[in-house]
Amino acid sequence: MSIASLLRRREAGIVVMIALFALIVGLIQPRFLSAETLRIVLLAVPLIMVAAMGEMMVLVARHVDLSIGSILGFSAIVAGMLWRDHPELPVMVGVVAAIAVGGALGLINGLVVTLFRLPSIIVTLGTLSLYRGLIFFISDARQVDPQYIPRGLIELSQTSLVFGIPWIILIAFAVALATYLFLGHSRLGRQIYAIGSNPVAAPLRGIRAAPITVLVFVLSGGLAGLAGVMYASRFGYVNPGITGVGFEFTVIAPVVIGGVSINGGSGSVAGTVLGVLLLGAVSVALPILGVSGFWQQAIYGAVILAALVIDRSVRQGGLKGLLARDAA
């Protein structure tokens, strides 16, 4: 692949944004450019990255899942209650239960969208509130306290396999790799792109849109369920009032920054991963810079807008000279 083709990729703009952001923050606060800060950044992104893989597939199929934060919270509270009520339960049983619950909630989203031909943004806006309400119902509004979260689960965010990288980070990147292989190297993955590109023409090519639409919602829900148990691992508790609240917007932002079109049919796993890393760096940098919590959300939004502007400038304007020289 030539330099010109690499620079034409949307991911190039995000890489530039990450480098510029790290350089500017590093000049202001040198300790930001340290191995320990990199570790903190990486610990900030696993939940977002896992859920973003599911949201990406939904967006590629020309839909949107706004209930992803509520699914995360619902799955996390179910797993937490299982461990609380059955302390002898193996960690993997709770993990599988959370993924299954998330997948079931995603299945409901997909069936309602396809059977009743309703806009996914409206359906999932409704289930966002429905699932959130059910969290309080099944948990009696009680938090699952740290003493009930299995030690083995918490250790996934503390212990490492290589180079001091906790397991939770490796799991997140493994999910991203699996998503890349599924979307880019399987027939189903190519059909998801085809449906998003042209939902009218796709059935004419023998692609069954309804089952694939249901599938992407199930996958999104299942990955949100996995993110739910990762939340319990990372923070050591599950609170029905805060777990997953507002998470849908935190997930959609890096997916869109990463180049996934809201009109469907385009986007890459690499771009989504870079978008997640950018926002993870921002979330870690702001406290290091001593930015007041009142300003963090505003700056967070500004960085999202800046990333989009710089990305577009790099791809459409700033690279023209480089491309001309490479062609010559």
Side-chain angles (χ1 to χ4, degrees), residues 16 21 54 96 133 155 309:
V16 169
F21 181 81
V96 172
E155 287 178 350
V309 171

Side-chain angles (χ1 to χ4, degrees), residues 16-311:
V16 169
M17 184 62 187
I18 294 174
L20 287 175
F21 181 81
L23 178 61
I24 293 171
V25 176
L27 290 174
I28 299 172
Q29 183 54 263
R31 69 189 178 96
F32 181 75
L33 300 177
S34 66
E36 179 59 24
T37 299
L38 176 61
R39 185 175 183 274
I40 295 172
V41 170
L42 290 176
L43 276 173
V45 302
L47 278 72
I48 304 173
M49 188 178 298
V50 168
M53 293 300 113
E55 189 69 61
M56 173 197 168
M57 287 186 277
V58 173
L59 285 173
V60 167
R62 199 175 280 203
H63 293 283
V64 65
D65 187 357
L66 294 180
S67 68
I68 198 164
S70 296
I71 293 177
L72 182 152
F74 194 105
S75 302
I77 203 72
V78 168
M81 290 170 61
L82 283 173
W83 288 316
R84 183 190 64 197
D85 299 338
H86 306 280
E88 74 287 351
L89 204 66
V91 171
M92 279 307 300
V93 173
V95 172
V96 172
I99 295 173
V101 168
L105 297 179
L107 176 63
I108 294 172
N109 287 340
L111 289 175
V112 173
V113 168
T114 54
L115 292 178
F116 297 98
R117 299 177 183 269
L118 295 173
S120 58
I121 189 171
I122 302 300
V123 171
T124 56
L125 184 62
T127 54
L128 179 155
S129 298
L130 172 62
Y131 298 159
R132 179 60 56 182
L134 290 175
I135 293 173
F136 287 95
F137 177 76
I138 66 171
S139 67
D140 289 328
R142 292 171 53 201
Q143 172 177 293
V144 178
D145 294 319
Q147 65 266 29
Y148 300 116
I149 304 300
R151 184 63 194 170
L153 182 68
I154 293 176
E155 287 178 350
L156 292 178
S157 297
Q158 299 173 342
T159 58
S160 62
L161 179 65
V162 289
F163 304 119
I165 302 174
W167 280 99
I168 194 172
I169 299 172
L170 298 177
I171 292 170
F173 278 95
V175 170
L177 177 60
T179 305
Y180 166 77
L181 294 174
F182 171 66
L183 288 177
H185 299 274
S186 74
R187 182 181 179 186
L188 269 177
R190 291 189 291 271
Q191 289 178 340
I192 292 172
Y193 277 101
I195 290 172
S197 298
N198 195 327
V200 176
L204 300 178
R205 299 174 57 188
I207 299 174
R208 300 175 63 195
I212 293 176
T213 297
V214 173
L215 173 65
V216 295
F217 277 103
V218 170
L219 292 174
S220 178
L223 289 173
L226 176 58
V229 291
M230 293 172 79
Y231 180 99
S233 172
R234 182 75 177 85
F235 298 102
Y237 70 94
V238 183
N239 185 298
I242 62 174
T243 302
V245 173
F247 188 69
E248 54 278 351
F249 302 108
T250 304
V251 170
I252 291 174
V255 174
V256 174
I257 287 174
V260 179
S261 173
I262 59 174
N263 294 317
S266 67
S268 70
V269 171
T272 300
V273 169
L274 289 171
V276 170
L277 292 175
L278 172 60
L279 295 190
V282 172
S283 67
V284 172
L286 296 182
I288 290 178
L289 294 174
V291 177
S292 168
F294 294 106
W295 288 100
Q296 286 191 21
Q297 286 298 317
I299 295 175
Y300 190 80
V303 169
I304 292 173
L305 293 175
L308 294 172
V309 171
I310 290 178
D311 172 52

